[in-house]
Amino acid sequence: MVEHTTIAYFALQSTGLLFLAILAATFLLPFGISRHATIPNNIVLWIFECISACLLLFSGNYNQDHPPLPICKVQSALQYGAPPAMAAGALSLVFRVWYLTWSSGRLTPAKMQDTRKVTAFLVGLPYVVWALVACVSGILAGGDVHRVGAYCATNNNIPTILSGIGSAALLVAAFALQVWSMVIVSKRYGISGHLGPQEMGSADPSTFIRVAIFTGFVLIALVLSILAVVSTWSAAIPDMFVAS
């Protein structure tokens, strides 16, 4: 019998997946404000995370205490790689905003524009991190994987440590850049008394505020996600919060 917490977890993840897919579709519309690739990329990352978290549900193994080993191994590896990948996605987004803020008044408009290589790096970084951590975790776990709650995990502590430390390092970098950006804007605002291109660079105030709020939510969710990993995936409350 499927536990109530598992049902709620799948319901929240599936609902989130639906709304994230709708949000991602809006970026494909021919009209509207153009966004840097790091913004929709974060939405896509969270879509993949939802799919990974619900792999037992989508594969029809949600009510099996012992899912097929191949599916369990894949999900276990993906779940350990997800927190560092999400942290890398947040770092890419925050770095973009920090760069626009920091470079104001320092670089010419031409030099302030991202090259395709820089954009490709910021977009591709989370997927590289995800693939690396997932592969290493999968190799280390081997066949020692089993279902714990709504997903599969391993008793090997090394993937837990790898995922936790990697996520923490990337989160610290993202948090530092976000604080740095806010300090820069605050100092410029204290001098001019208003928010504009001179204070925020090419990042408009609404985008800056939304990214700051988004980063706050991402930090909370990822910290709880890391907590769930460190606790060997046994804590229901962090999982439920991340799913919501």
Side-chain angles (χ1 to χ4, degrees):
M1 182 177 179
V2 183
E3 296 181 358
H4 295 299
T5 53
T6 300
I7 295 175
Y9 178 84
F10 284 146
L12 289 171
Q13 287 282 8
S14 300
T15 302
L17 177 60
L18 174 62
F19 283 105
L20 284 170
I22 295 174
L23 180 59
T26 62
F27 289 102
L28 300 177
L29 297 176
F31 52 86
I33 301 176
S34 177
R35 302 295 185 187
H36 190 263
T38 51
I39 297 179
N41 189 54
N42 268 270
I43 305 300
V44 173
L45 282 169
W46 282 101
I47 289 176
F48 288 155
E49 193 281 332
C50 289
I51 295 174
S52 171
C54 293
L55 193 58
L56 294 183
L57 174 65
F58 296 148
S59 64
N61 296 289
Y62 63 92
N63 60 346
Q64 296 187 22
D65 294 333
H66 303 285
L69 184 59
I71 294 178
C72 213
K73 291 177 66 175
V74 169
Q75 184 182 44
S76 174
L78 290 175
Q79 287 294 88
Y80 283 114
M86 301 301 106
L91 175 60
S92 295
L93 179 59
V94 173
F95 174 83
R96 165 68 180 175
V97 174
W98 167 83
Y99 176 76
L100 293 176
T101 304
W102 173 84
S103 61
S104 178
R106 289 183 171 87
L107 302 175
T108 63
K111 292 183 179 180
M112 287 176 62
Q113 299 299 319
D114 285 341
T115 64
R116 292 183 177 180
K117 291 183 179 180
V118 173
T119 300
F121 174 79
L122 294 177
V123 171
L125 177 63
Y127 302 99
V128 173
V129 171
W130 200 335
L132 288 175
V133 177
C135 288
V136 173
S137 299
I139 293 173
L140 292 174
D144 182 20
V145 293
H146 55 91
R147 179 171 182 172
V148 181
Y151 32 67
C152 294
T154 177
N155 291 323
N156 192 320
N157 291 327
I158 298 180
T160 295
I161 297 172
L162 177 63
S163 180
I165 292 178
S167 301
L170 293 167
L171 284 176
V172 169
F175 183 74
L177 287 178
Q178 183 64 55
V179 172
W180 191 351
S181 300
M182 296 179 70
V183 169
I184 293 174
V185 173
S186 178
K187 288 183 177 180
R188 293 173 180 173
Y189 177 79
I191 297 175
S192 63
H194 71 280
L195 295 177
Q198 294 298 323
E199 292 74 31
M200 309 187 73
S202 300
D204 62 274
S206 61
T207 299
F208 186 89
I209 294 173
R210 285 197 298 269
V211 170
I213 296 174
F214 167 78
T215 303
F217 279 111
V218 168
L219 287 173
I220 294 173
L222 285 173
V223 167
L224 290 175
S225 183
I226 295 171
L227 178 61
V229 174
V230 173
S231 61
T232 319
W233 306 92
S234 61
I237 294 179
D239 288 338
M240 296 297 290
F241 186 91
V242 174
S244 64

